[in-house]
Amino acid sequence: MQITEEDKKLMEKLASLVVSRRLTAMAVFFLESSKPLSFIGSQFLVFMQPFIQSFFNFKEYDRIAALMEDKENVELLIQYIEAQESGKKNKN
């Protein structure tokens, strides 16, 4: 799946939400452990849709679920989360 600049911005937004809520360790652990089962993980996102739509609109959320089907995109999201967490620590 080809990732666009819009997709990257969306993943950065998701990473920012994770870091701002201090869920970095839990999110990275979940994402790392679900990489081999990335399709199943993306289906879990579909299940969580009613809860997470308070942060993303329907179109964004569907795109995130589709992106998470690819292991490379899961790794990219982990990198965004870790970069934002590192930037947050450097500011303190």
Side-chain angles (χ1 to χ4, degrees), residues 3 7 10-11 17 29 32-33 35 48 52 65 67-69 75 77 79 87:
I3 189 165
D7 293 337
L10 187 56
M11 290 172 73
L17 284 169
F29 176 78
E32 287 286 356
S33 63
K35 263 197 264 186
M48 295 298 294
I52 298 182
L67 288 168
M68 293 300 102
E69 290 178 10
E75 181 60 35
L77 178 58
Q79 291 172 8

Side-chain angles (χ1 to χ4, degrees), residues 41-55:
S42 73
Q43 295 306 301
F44 177 71
L45 289 174
V46 172
F47 172 75
M48 295 298 294
Q49 186 174 8
F51 304 105
I52 298 182
Q53 278 195 327
S54 61
F55 304 109

Side-chain angles (χ1 to χ4, degrees), residues 6-84:
E6 184 178 318
D7 293 337
K8 289 178 182 179
K9 288 179 184 176
L10 187 56
M11 290 172 73
E12 286 176 353
K13 179 179 176 182
L14 178 56
S16 178
L17 284 169
V18 167
V19 171
S20 70
R21 286 169 175 65
R22 298 181 180 182
L23 298 171
T24 301
M26 185 176 72
V28 171
F29 176 78
F30 172 77
L31 291 168
E32 287 286 356
S33 63
S34 69
K35 263 197 264 186
L37 305 168
S38 56
F39 178 75
I40 293 171
S42 73
Q43 295 306 301
F44 177 71
L45 289 174
V46 172
F47 172 75
M48 295 298 294
Q49 186 174 8
F51 304 105
I52 298 182
Q53 278 195 327
S54 61
F55 304 109
F56 295 95
N57 66 42
F58 185 75
K59 181 182 172 187
E60 289 176 329
Y61 191 78
D62 280 350
R63 186 62 185 158
I64 289 171
L67 288 168
M68 293 300 102
E69 290 178 10
D70 187 341
K71 292 176 194 175
E72 291 178 18
N73 294 335
V74 173
E75 181 60 35
L76 183 61
L77 178 58
I78 291 168
Q79 291 172 8
Y80 281 133
I81 291 170
E82 290 174 341
Q84 289 194 20

